[in-house]
Amino acid sequence: MSQADPDGTAPEGRVAGDGVAPTVLAQERRLHRDLGFWGLTAIGFSNIVGSGWLFAAMYAAQTAGPAALLSWIGAGLLCALVALVMIELGATRPEGGGTVRWPLYASGRLVGTLVGWSVLLSVGGTAAEISAIMQYMAHYWPAIYNGHTLTLTGLGVAAGLSVLLTALNWFAVRLFARLNNLVSVFKVVVPVVTVVALFASGWHSGRLTDHGGFAPYGYAACLTALAGGGIVYSVNGFQAPLDFSAETPNPRRTIPASVLTGIALALLMYLALQVAFLFSVPEQLLGHGWRGVSFDSPFGQLALILNLHWLSSLLYADAVLSPGGSAYVGVAIDARHTYALAKNGTLPRFFMRVDPRSGIPRRALLLNLVVIVLFLLPFGGWQSIVRVMGDMYLLIYAASAVAVAVFRADPGGAGTAGWVPGLRWIAPLSFVVSSEFVYWSGWHDLRLALPLVLAGLVLFVTMWRPDHGSSLAGELRTGTWMVVYLGVLTLLSWLGTFKGSGRLPAPYDSVTVAAVSLAVFFWAVRSGVRQLTAERLRAMAV
């Protein structure tokens, strides 16, 4: 028996025989394998291209000026590194809600619970898409948005939209894929038309050097723009096909191709939109530099200023459809995550049930509907949700880098022959880069995000049961690295120069984060291999 999951299910689908595994496997078999390459690619692309393309170009320019182009390229490199890690896991260990399951396999219940809790919190990303729809709808219905947050009327409309998206996900996955393919086509056409129209309306030369130069706020602002400017949030979503890896007939072939294709298409589109925004903003709006350029609906209002009324009408229509498409996919992904959390035992197994006719985890859908509506209450604006949610996603990437290294290092594991070459150095580099991106998002965001994740310790203690197969002390030893990691990142954020106290000056703050992250990574891998060995010995004893 290799790498048995604490629930009694090995990653390869074998059973460790604790009485719970048959229930888990029965629900997993109800998932329908109806998604091919184009369906998975459309899921990834649609999840990446949501409200980000409508807002991030302006927020990034406000934060870093023209140097925001470097931020997009940096985000693309992050995607490439993390995608290789995730592709390895998705292609060799396909499973519904895999991004939640892999950290549990590799690092035990404590890490699995903290990652699962952060995933549950990241449901707020779907709330962000719905909030973005409301902001653009305010162009026609001002009563739903007051310029900063949703009004009471807006909250009611947003809640109704959440119910509609949940209802559309209620039926078979094949119907979901077909609807999403149609939405994805529109989501490609409108941004392309926008870029061409803005370029044709007028090209203001010298934009890369005027108004403070290429980096008017310093190159450090490029790092801040990654999270604070919404770039990380905007390019995030490429991992979406991985959570459907149990619903495709040939994951080894379709998962890598669909993930990489989705990233390439989305990154090219975002770079084109950023360039179009930088070169088409009228000169009179730049009197106070790029930080003085502010729109409630960036591309829609810019089109009106440039007398492109037809484009503005098209954009305001797409402003509902594009984030709506991402929210539609987000609701489906959230349900797979919640389903996986129930399999983990982080949530009650009541939410694990898959409807046998549709292949949809409907109870998980209903739970996520409640969480989405709750997120709409305290966070009314797109950017305020984005700042915290970007950090949550990056923690998931870091945990996945540890997982793939643990599976590679485990001498008794069946998955030691890897699918992606070079993971020996890709995995630690991906962990370090993910940590840096979390740190660069700034103290004002991390002081909320990281303690929120650590609050998952309460969930871990509450859901712990003696029949999980390992001792509580053993689980604490195996997962302590995650608690230390989050605590040290919070401390370094307060000490550092990214909206912190500045007691640890640049670039030594980022160097310290890299050194600490590398040390934590190897600690985590060693703990994970020890945990898998102990699990195997217990299974053999039984």
Side-chain angles (χ1 to χ4, degrees):
M1 171 58 59
S2 68
Q3 298 170 354
D5 157 355
D7 287 333
T9 309
E12 296 82 7
R14 294 190 293 272
V15 179
D18 66 356
V20 175
T23 302
V24 174
L25 291 174
Q27 299 303 319
E28 192 79 6
R29 291 191 185 103
R30 290 181 175 182
L31 297 172
H32 296 179
R33 296 180 178 271
D34 291 332
L35 295 173
F37 167 74
W38 288 113
L40 288 171
T41 299
I43 286 172
F45 179 82
S46 188
N47 201 44
I48 296 172
V49 182
S51 60
W53 88 266
L54 298 165
F55 292 91
M58 183 190 73
Y59 287 134
Q62 287 176 341
T63 305
L69 293 169
L70 298 180
S71 300
W72 287 106
I73 294 172
L77 293 175
L78 170 70
C79 286
L81 280 171
V82 178
L84 291 174
V85 167
M86 306 293 274
I87 284 170
E88 165 82 6
L89 292 168
T92 60
R93 298 167 181 272
E95 185 169 0
T99 54
V100 176
R101 295 287 276 173
W102 299 319
L104 175 74
Y105 292 140
S107 301
R109 284 195 174 276
L110 176 56
V111 173
T113 300
L114 290 176
V115 171
W117 172 243
S118 67
V119 168
L120 191 60
L121 291 174
S122 71
V123 172
T126 303
E129 299 299 330
I130 294 171
S131 179
I133 295 171
M134 296 297 102
Q135 285 181 238
Y136 264 83
M137 282 180 63
H139 176 75
Y140 302 104
W141 191 1
I144 64 174
Y145 188 73
N146 63 13
H148 301 285
T149 59
L150 297 178
T151 64
L152 186 61
T153 302
L155 287 172
V157 175
L161 181 58
S162 303
V163 172
L164 175 62
L165 292 172
T166 300
L168 290 174
N169 270 283
W170 197 257
F171 303 101
V173 69
R174 184 174 296 175
L175 175 62
F176 158 77
R178 288 174 178 172
L179 287 175
N180 185 59
N181 287 346
L182 292 174
V183 173
S184 296
V185 171
F186 194 76
K187 291 173 74 169
V188 171
V189 171
V190 175
V192 169
V193 171
T194 300
V195 170
V196 173
L198 291 179
F199 282 161
S201 69
W203 179 275
H204 300 276
S205 61
R207 281 297 172 78
L208 298 183
T209 54
D210 296 342
H211 307 288
F214 182 71
Y217 312 117
Y219 284 96
C222 297
L223 305 179
T224 304
L226 290 170
I231 290 179
V232 167
Y233 175 83
S234 298
V235 299
N236 178 70
F238 61 86
Q239 79 283 4
L242 297 161
D243 286 308
F244 292 84
S245 58
E247 298 170 72
T248 181
N250 192 348
R252 286 185 66 89
R253 184 179 66 185
T254 54
I255 290 293
S258 61
V259 170
L260 295 176
T261 302
I263 291 172
L265 291 174
L267 188 60
L268 286 172
M269 192 190 77
Y270 277 126
L271 280 170
L273 286 164
Q274 186 69 65
V275 172
F277 184 84
L278 291 171
F279 281 90
S280 61
V281 171
E283 194 71 26
Q284 64 268 24
L285 297 181
L286 289 165
H288 298 286
W290 288 104
R291 286 181 178 168
V293 178
S294 181
F295 301 106
D296 288 332
S297 306
F299 282 110
Q301 289 177 260
L302 184 59
L304 287 175
I305 292 172
L306 297 174
N307 292 318
L308 299 172
H309 295 277
W310 64 270
L311 178 61
S312 178
S313 299
L314 180 64
L315 285 168
Y316 279 106
D318 184 70
V320 174
L321 186 60
S322 189
S326 288
Y328 179 46
V329 173
V331 168
I333 295 170
D334 294 340
R336 272 69 180 178
H337 285 162
T338 301
Y339 159 78
L341 289 175
K343 284 199 295 182
N344 284 0
T346 304
L347 293 174
R349 292 191 182 278
F350 173 84
F351 297 107
M352 186 179 67
R353 188 179 187 278
V354 177
D355 178 70
R357 291 190 62 185
S358 65
I360 302 295
R362 288 178 170 175
R363 293 175 181 176
L365 272 174
L366 293 175
L367 177 62
N368 287 127
L369 172 61
V370 174
V371 176
I372 289 169
V373 173
L374 289 176
F375 257 99
L376 288 169
L377 298 177
F379 298 109
W382 184 87
Q383 197 176 19
S384 60
I385 299 176
V386 163
R387 286 181 179 274
V388 177
M389 290 307 104
D391 302 326
M392 301 298 183
Y393 289 126
L394 290 168
L395 292 175
I396 297 167
Y397 297 157
S400 297
V402 170
V404 78
V406 168
F407 297 145
R408 280 289 185 94
D410 177 28
T416 53
W419 193 87
V420 175
L423 275 178
R424 184 180 299 274
W425 63 268
I426 290 175
L429 184 57
S430 175
F431 186 88
V432 170
V433 172
S434 296
S435 303
E436 293 285 10
F437 273 52
V438 172
Y439 171 70
W440 290 334
S441 64
W443 167 245
H444 290 300
D445 301 330
L446 294 184
R447 64 182 179 179
L448 174 62
L450 296 184
L452 269 176
V453 177
L454 284 172
L457 287 170
V458 177
L459 183 63
F460 169 72
V461 174
T462 303
M463 297 299 296
W464 171 260
R465 297 291 181 273
D467 59 354
H468 281 164
S470 61
S471 67
L472 179 59
E475 290 288 356
L476 291 173
R477 283 194 302 271
T478 301
T480 299
W481 69 265
M482 176 63 86
V483 178
V484 172
Y485 172 66
L486 295 174
V488 171
L489 274 182
T490 303
L491 176 62
L492 290 175
S493 180
W494 175 70
L495 291 172
T497 57
F498 289 85
K499 300 180 182 179
S501 64
R503 288 178 171 83
L504 185 61
Y508 302 108
D509 52 348
S510 295
V511 172
T512 303
V513 170
V516 170
S517 299
L518 200 59
V520 169
F521 174 81
F522 289 110
W523 173 18
V525 173
R526 186 169 60 252
S527 297
V529 172
R530 189 185 304 118
Q531 181 258 348
L532 287 181
T533 301
E535 289 285 347
R536 188 177 301 107
L537 291 175
R538 280 195 297 271
M540 291 173 64
V542 173

